[in-house]
Structures are given as C-alpha cells and as structure tokens.
Amino acid sequence: DGGITQSPKYLFRKEGQNVTLSCEQNLNHDAMYWYRQDPGQGLRLIYYSQIVNDFQKGDIAEGYSVSREKKESFPLTVTSAQKNPTAFYLCASSIGTAKNIQYFGAGTRLSVL
Amino acid sequence: RKEVEQDPGPFNVPEGATVAFNCTYSNSASQSFFWYRQDCRKEPKLLMSVYSSGNEDGRFTAQLNRASQYISLLIRDSKLSDSATYLCVVSQHTGGFKTIFGAGTRLFVKA
C-alpha cells in the first residue's frame, strides 16, 4: 500500500526530554511537511523539505528540529526548548511544492507527563 | 486578521439539505486552493481542488472568486457521512512557499 506512515500514534514526553516523531512515505514524493494542530485551530507549518538534504523553517519552527537524509523519511524532533509540545502532529508529503496536493499520515498525539 | 478565515460553525443540518461554506483569504499572491475534510481525531484528507472556473465532484461544488478573495464549498443532498470538519487551504509557491490552513468549519448532518 502506498502512503505515509507516522509513528508512534501516541507519545508521552517528560520534562527536559527530547522526543522524535517518525514519518515515512513510499509515494516517491519530493516534498515533505510537518504540521502541528491544536484544538480549534488550523494546522500550522513547523518545517518543510522540498528535496533530500534540504529543509526550511515554517511558521512555528522554534523548539523543533528535522532532518531529511533520505527521500522517504522526514523525522521531527521535539526538543526540551519547546515549552508547550502537547498537540496533534501531522506529517504530509506532495510531489513538489508547486500546486501541491498534500497527503497526510495518521498523526502522532504528543502529551507531556 | 487571520490569513485564512472560516466560519467555525457548527452547522447543524438535516439529511438531504444543501449547505454552503465560505472561506476568505488575505494574500492576493495565493495560487492554489483546496478543500480538505477532517474527521474527529483523524488526519485531513483532500476533498477537492478549487479553480476559478468552478469544479464539481458529485454532490460537492467548489468555487474560487479571486477578485473578492474567497472560496466556497457547496454540499447538496447532505448525508450523515458528510459530518466532519471542512478545512480551507490556500497556498503560494512562487516568491516563497506558503501554505495556510483555515481552522475549519464543523458540519453535523442529522437524521
């Protein structure tokens, strides 16, 4: 099955801990994205990558880091610097960023212990 | 003012009703427009792209008005399964990439 796989589905973070959310796609898409969704709000872009070994900050990149070493993979690390990490995190991919239809993974719900 | 604004609703309609959602955007350089559907605690899924000429997919019709900077979605003959949150998405990809998701409009279709 082609698609985007996010793991884990649920994640709990302790104070001062870094956690990494996984996102893998087998759609052969060049572009990948990370969004955060809070209740009652739209998705907000954290980081995006248009090509392997390149990524750009989105609107709310502070406290997050990413890497794009492989075309299929775009992991997101929520660092201890992110003081309010509780949210629904969604990864997406598209063929490119021009006229991009984005396809989403099932998401990871992150909570703070 | 938010870059993309939607009426949050909720819209409560009976089965078979016709319901319309509007979405306004502030960036006149926006180039691509979409409606996504999001079920409770699930990921967004593409419903349809939106073009100036208007486009229809079964019971769903989307329209773009560039002059007034708004997008509309019309759902005819509503089904119980149409109950969801509908997200308006506006994207720019020249002169810098930018995609903005609206906060969504909630629809409840009742039997």
Side-chain angles (χ1 to χ4, degrees):
Chain A
D1 280 343
I4 302 171
T5 301
Q6 289 187 241
S7 62
K9 190 171 182 179
Y10 299 97
L11 186 59
F12 297 91
R13 194 191 88 167
K14 296 179 181 178
E15 287 287 337
Q17 186 182 41
N18 292 351
V19 292
T20 297
L21 284 59
S22 170
C23 178
E24 304 277 330
Q25 54 101 357
N26 60 5
L27 299 169
N28 200 32
H29 285 172
D30 284 319
M32 296 187 74
Y33 315 81
W34 273 106
Y35 292 91
R36 168 184 173 137
Q37 187 175 34
D38 294 281
Q41 295 192 37
L43 279 66
R44 291 184 289 167
L45 184 63
I46 303 172
Y47 270 98
Y48 68 99
S49 168
Q50 295 176 291
I51 198 166
V52 175
N53 292 322
D54 183 63
F55 49 83
Q56 307 295 329
K57 292 182 179 180
D59 300 316
I60 54 165
E62 186 175 348
Y64 300 97
S65 66
V66 293
S67 63
R68 186 86 187 276
E69 297 176 2
K70 297 187 299 181
K71 187 175 186 177
E72 314 81 63
S73 179
F74 191 41
L76 173 74
T77 297
V78 184
T79 74
S80 57
Q82 173 49 247
K83 298 306 179 188
N84 184 23
T86 297
F88 187 37
Y89 290 86
L90 288 156
C91 177
S93 72
S94 64
I95 293 173
T97 53
K99 296 188 178 180
N100 57 327
I101 293 175
Q102 296 182 30
Y103 298 90
F104 285 84
T108 294
R109 293 195 178 274
L110 175 62
S111 301
V112 177
L113 289 176
Chain B
R1 180 187 174 189
K2 292 181 181 178
E3 293 185 77
V4 174
E5 293 203 69
Q6 296 183 249
D7 182 343
F11 285 61
N12 293 289
V13 302
E15 272 189 294
T18 295
V19 61
F21 306 139
N22 286 330
C23 167
T24 59
Y25 62 95
S26 60
N27 181 6
S28 59
S30 299
Q31 297 163 287
S32 302
F33 308 88
F34 309 93
W35 283 102
Y36 277 74
R37 170 196 169 124
Q38 186 174 25
D39 292 295
C40 189
R41 300 179 70 81
K42 299 286 189 181
E43 73 274 23
K45 293 184 178 178
L46 178 70
L47 182 64
M48 57 200 309
S49 301
V50 189
Y51 307 109
S52 297
S53 56
N55 49 309
E56 187 173 311
D57 182 3
R59 298 181 293 107
F60 299 85
T61 300
Q63 192 78 45
L64 165 65
N65 185 319
R66 286 189 182 272
S68 301
Q69 295 182 202
Y70 79 82
I71 307 152
S72 63
L73 177 67
L74 182 76
I75 305 175
R76 290 180 299 277
D77 189 22
S78 298
K79 311 293 184 189
L80 294 176
S81 57
D82 293 334
S83 297
T85 297
Y86 291 84
L87 308 176
C88 169
V89 183
V90 175
S91 185
Q92 173 188 340
H93 42 84
T94 56
F97 169 74
K98 195 174 183 70
T99 289
I100 304 295
F101 282 73
T105 298
R106 295 196 73 185
L107 172 66
F108 293 103
V109 181
K110 305 168 293 183

